[in-house]
Amino acid sequence: MDKIKITGGKCLEGKIYISGAKNAALPLICASLLTDETVTLTNMPMLSDIKAMNALLEQLGTQIDEFDDFVDNHPSKTYSYRTKEATSLTAPYDYVRKMRASYYVLGPLLARYGKCELSLPGGCAIGARPMDIHLSSLEQMGASIEIKNGYIHAKVDKRLKGAHIIFPMVSVGATCNVLMAATLAEGRTVLENAAKEPEIGDLANLLNAMGAKIEGIGTAVLTIDGVDKLHGAKHKVIADRIEAGSYAVAAAITRGKIELINALPSTLKRPMQVLRDMGVRVTENENSILVDAKGCTLVGKDIMTEPFPGFPTDLQAQFLALMLTAEGASMITETIFENRFMHVPELLRMGANINVHGHASAIVRGVKKLSGAPVMATDLRASFALILAGLVAEGETIVNRVYHLDRGYEKLEEKLRGVGAQIERIKDDSEG
Ligand code: EPZ
């Protein structure tokens, strides 16, 4: 199993190109199931989660073609998806257990074929993550849903029907799933308390390009007038705000200076404000962000995760690591997931001073130094937090279970080496 070895202490400087967003690409791929024509997605990140979603669609009967491409002068992948006729309407356990986002096939298959069987994803490393809001919303649109043998059996007579749905809490996944389903429903669907994450705007833009009628994009109320049929389209995946935010922290934690090429400032307002409040110089340009922490003394700052445009839960672990190098104390409050401090015990092993209170908050006190250690994390963003700690720790840090990072950070070592980090991937048969 691969590991990543980092020798800390290098000040990172240079440019990093930000890839297409994983969490946009995953529902975009599934949107292609809504039409029998070809949907082409450019600026696709090369990640194991994308490969996993492609494998699921192939299993459903989608013809997928892959092309090497150049977007904004950078190599990337373009994929075209065509589901002339689905050959299966089942997302099996083996696919869903590897990647929860497999549940994005539910809305499209139910809308186009009136039926879908999806293995119910269980809890995961960051929380219980139920699907009740997805399911109750689809029921409000006329679907009948039964859970049997670990599978969701969803079906509808003829077509889904438009409905006025008020989400009981903000859910990215439920908003995407129901939005896709509503495009082919009969009549108007109104989604209130919808998630406003930029990835949802990206999905809605693709759906409109396919002939859907969605209004209110970027707001908490989405209005969808169902159409009889959608057609093919070509779409460029938006830049990954979480990848950009993660490398912004890499600049700040090493007191370096990194220009994040292709990052979208409008998607990162809150995290960039936190960096400024801590004492980092952040310059936002139209298609890039310059993060300059050279010579800066950083001060701790309190953070609370919230749905967009609030501070993203997917950057909580990385900013927590940054607070370890700031003066004073910072309180980190996690409101989205109930088990998202799994990086803390590993950071403690590197010399961190962190007290977790219950499941919801942690007090981080700045320390003079961290020291390298073998560590491992249980999820993607927590793993990146350990990489960040390794970049400033004295000596060598070995991050185990690199497969988490491969799910969401394209060319991680290459990008970090490009700005001066001493980092390499090592092969090892035994898991640490
Ligand atoms: C998406 O997960 C992202 N995943 C997550 O990214 C991200 O952390 C999360 O949104 C929040 O921004 C993808 O886009 C593939 P939610 P999702 O539904 O859609 C509860 C990463 O590292 N809830 O917005 O699963 C849920 O348990 C990750 O890339 C219900 O109770 O998140 C959570 O507490 C991990 N019932 C809260 O809502 C439901 O039916 C928000 O979850 C649905 C959700």
Side-chain angles (χ1 to χ4, degrees):
M1 191 171 294
D2 292 1
K3 300 174 182 203
I4 285 186
K5 182 169 101 181
I6 306 160
T7 307
K10 300 275 181 286
C11 167
L12 304 188
E13 209 167 330
K15 294 175 196 266
I16 291 183
Y17 180 81
I18 300 305
S19 302
K22 163 182 88 81
N23 288 348
L26 294 170
L28 292 171
I29 293 171
C30 295
S32 72
L33 292 167
L34 287 159
T35 174
D36 60 3
E37 295 183 16
T38 301
V39 171
T40 302
L41 300 175
T42 68
N43 198 34
M44 288 283 276
M46 290 169 253
L47 298 169
S48 60
D49 268 13
I50 301 298
K51 285 195 188 131
M53 188 63 95
N54 285 348
L56 172 58
L57 262 77
E58 272 171 345
Q59 191 269 342
L60 297 174
T62 306
Q63 157 82 38
I64 304 178
D65 292 303
E66 178 185 319
F67 311 93
D68 289 323
D69 207 348
F70 255 75
V71 173
D72 304 325
N73 295 323
H74 283 269
S76 72
K77 289 276 179 207
T78 287
Y79 289 98
S80 71
Y81 298 86
R82 183 162 192 216
T83 315
K84 205 159 182 283
E85 200 56 66
T87 50
S88 161
L89 298 175
T90 302
Y93 177 66
D94 269 352
Y95 291 83
V96 182
R97 81 180 164 83
K98 284 191 200 127
M99 191 189 44
R100 302 180 60 82
S102 306
Y103 62 39
Y104 281 137
V105 304
L106 175 61
L109 290 180
L110 191 59
R112 182 167 159 198
Y113 293 101
K115 193 175 165 201
C116 176
E117 286 174 5
L118 171 82
S119 171
L120 188 59
C124 79
I126 60 175
R129 305 182 75 181
M131 279 191 71
D132 54 325
I133 302 172
H134 304 233
L135 302 184
S136 63
S137 305
L138 293 169
E139 277 175 336
Q140 288 175 64
M141 298 177 74
S144 72
I145 293 186
E146 196 187 356
I147 300 190
K148 214 170 49 188
N149 306 120
Y151 275 74
I152 297 164
H153 299 257
K155 57 178 190 235
V156 64
D157 283 338
K158 294 190 189 127
R159 255 173 106 174
L160 290 167
K161 293 204 169 34
H164 191 131
I165 295 165
I166 303 173
F167 291 120
M169 64 192 285
V170 178
S171 162
V172 172
T175 304
C176 288
N177 233 339
V178 182
L179 177 65
M180 288 189 277
T183 57
L184 289 181
E186 196 183 325
R188 173 170 287 194
T189 300
V190 178
L191 304 179
E192 272 191 60
N193 200 25
K196 294 183 287 206
E197 269 65 4
E199 295 75 23
I200 291 163
D202 206 35
L203 172 64
N205 286 332
L206 168 67
L207 293 167
N208 276 349
M210 293 166 68
K213 292 189 176 151
I214 303 168
E215 282 181 9
I217 298 174
T219 76
V221 183
L222 295 168
T223 304
I224 308 110
D225 285 311
V227 295
D228 292 341
K229 211 172 168 356
L230 293 175
H231 52 73
K234 187 172 179 181
H235 180 84
K236 179 182 161 191
V237 180
I238 51 162
D240 194 320
R241 65 193 165 101
I242 305 302
E243 188 199 25
S246 303
Y247 289 123
V249 177
I253 204 167
T254 63
R255 305 302 188 263
K257 182 175 172 183
I258 300 180
E259 190 175 1
L260 306 162
I261 308 294
N262 211 32
L264 280 178
S266 61
T267 65
L268 281 156
K269 290 276 177 223
R270 188 75 201 111
M272 292 307 113
Q273 190 54 48
V274 172
L275 286 182
R276 281 194 192 98
D277 293 347
M278 293 179 74
V280 180
R281 291 179 292 273
V282 179
T283 314
E284 297 177 7
N285 302 308
E286 203 182 325
N287 280 317
S288 72
I289 301 176
L290 179 66
V291 181
D292 179 4
K294 291 199 91 165
C296 293
T297 301
L298 304 191
V299 289
K301 177 89 187 114
D302 294 349
I303 290 174
M304 182 161 84
T305 64
E306 286 171 310
F308 190 85
F311 191 93
T313 175
D314 290 347
L315 284 176
Q316 179 258 103
Q318 300 89 317
F319 273 72
L320 183 146
L322 175 61
M323 297 308 172
L324 289 167
T325 69
E327 281 182 0
S330 318
M331 170 132 150
I332 314 289
T333 308
E334 172 61 54
T335 71
I336 308 292
F337 292 109
E338 64 274 22
N339 193 24
R340 221 173 187 185
F341 286 119
M342 295 301 280
H343 38 294
V344 169
E346 297 301 298
L347 290 169
L348 292 178
R349 297 182 52 251
M350 298 176 75
N353 181 345
I354 308 167
N355 278 311
V356 177
H357 300 267
H359 289 292
S361 62
I363 298 280
V364 183
R365 292 187 175 85
V367 288
K368 290 222 158 47
K369 67 178 176 78
L370 294 169
S371 58
V375 286
M376 67 170 135
T378 45
D379 84 276
L380 168 62
R381 311 302 172 187
S383 298
F384 200 92
L386 300 179
I387 296 274
L388 290 165
L391 288 172
V392 283
E394 272 181 6
E396 212 170 88
T397 296
I398 307 279
V399 180
N400 290 283
R401 299 197 174 164
V402 169
Y403 57 85
H404 289 301
L405 290 160
D406 292 337
R407 298 183 64 175
Y409 289 94
E410 184 180 43
K411 298 182 184 162
L412 170 83
E413 311 95 271
E414 202 180 299
K415 289 187 183 188
L416 282 172
R417 261 201 306 270
V419 290
Q422 202 173 333
I423 179 168
E424 63 179 305
R425 184 177 288 243
I426 46 176
K427 302 265 179 199
D428 195 304
D429 292 336
S430 60
E431 193 183 325

